[in-house]
Every structure is written in structure tokens, then in C-alpha cells.
Amino acid sequence: MKKHIAFLSLLLLGTLAVGQDFEAPKKGAKIYAKEYTITLEEGDDKTFDLWIVRSRLAKRTKFSAPKLLSSSGLTFDVTTDMENADHFTVKVNAESVVPGAYTVTVSSRSNSSHQVTGTTLSFNVMPAKAVASEDGE
């Protein structure tokens, strides 16, 4: 029974990775995003997805949730998908960020010798749109 569950889990993970058109690395794992450039307004937040795609040899390795490193003031909240440990939802907040373009490094670690190839994401923070007051000022 355990073999069937393990096979179905691997089949599901492989289907999810292929369904997203992410190429599995030859060794270790790699972090992928559907969008590598994310645009949001100053003071807003936005949600996007990240995936860790594993090589065949790293199927049993545990990887930490991705960490997003930036000195821009952007803040990130990473949530692991309960049904797929390799899928993460990230909420980025630009509450105290000056409008501009920012690059963020995404990384993860493993509990073994399998390495994770990180990635970089670009964030374009646009000025907040002015809201007209009711009296026309």
C-alpha cells in the first residue's frame, strides 16, 4: 500500500511540475516562478506562486520554504501549500517602499547534500494612484 501511495504522490508532483512547464534539473532542485517580474503599487500587496522542482534523485529530500532576501523594504509572507509541499504562495507587501525597481533573491536549503538552485525576481513598485476627493480637490 505504501508503494502505491508513494507512486501516486510522485506522479502527482511530476504532473504538477510538467503542467507548469517547469523543467526538472538533472540534480538537486530548482526554484521556479510563473512570473519573474511583478508589478504592484506603493502601499499595496500582491500574491504570487513559487515552486521547487526536484530532480529524480532529490524526490525524498526535504527543502525549506523559499526565503526572499531584499534590502528594499518589501516584505514577504511565504505559505506552504498543504497538498503539495513543493508549491508556495507568497504575499509581497510594498507598504513602506519607495516606488522603483527592485531585485530580490529567492533561495532554499535542503536537509541533505542536494542543492537548490535559487532564482531572482524583479519587483516594479509604481506610485500610488491619487484618489480624487468628493469636493473636486
Side-chain angles (χ1 to χ4, degrees):
M1 181 69 173
K2 286 184 179 180
K3 288 182 181 179
H4 293 304
I5 292 172
F7 174 75
L8 290 174
S9 297
L10 290 174
L11 183 63
L12 176 64
L13 289 174
T15 303
L16 289 171
V18 171
Q20 296 296 329
D21 294 327
F22 299 139
E23 185 176 330
K26 294 187 188 310
K27 59 183 181 177
K30 186 171 181 179
I31 299 173
Y32 286 97
K34 188 173 183 181
E35 307 174 70
Y36 288 91
T37 300
I38 298 163
T39 301
L40 66 160
E41 286 186 14
E42 176 184 20
D44 281 348
D45 54 51
K46 190 168 187 174
T47 302
F48 61 95
D49 297 305
L50 293 174
W51 289 267
I52 292 180
V53 179
R54 304 160 180 264
S55 68
R56 275 192 337 215
L57 298 173
K59 289 296 180 190
R60 294 185 181 179
T61 302
K62 290 191 177 213
F63 295 101
S64 66
K67 292 187 182 198
L68 292 92
L69 306 172
S70 172
S71 60
S72 64
L74 291 168
T75 58
F76 302 95
D77 182 29
V78 179
T79 306
T80 304
D81 184 335
M82 295 309 228
E83 294 180 18
N84 179 353
D86 291 332
H87 174 239
F88 304 89
T89 302
V90 182
K91 183 176 183 179
V92 57
N93 185 298
E95 185 69 35
S96 301
V97 180
V98 176
Y102 301 97
T103 301
V104 174
T105 303
V106 184
S107 64
S108 177
R109 294 188 181 266
S110 74
N111 67 344
S112 71
S113 62
H114 293 287
Q115 298 296 314
V116 181
T117 302
T119 191
T120 56
L121 301 175
S122 297
F123 291 88
N124 294 321
V125 179
M126 308 303 286
K129 292 179 182 167
V131 178
S133 64
E134 290 183 27
D135 59 4
E137 292 182 23

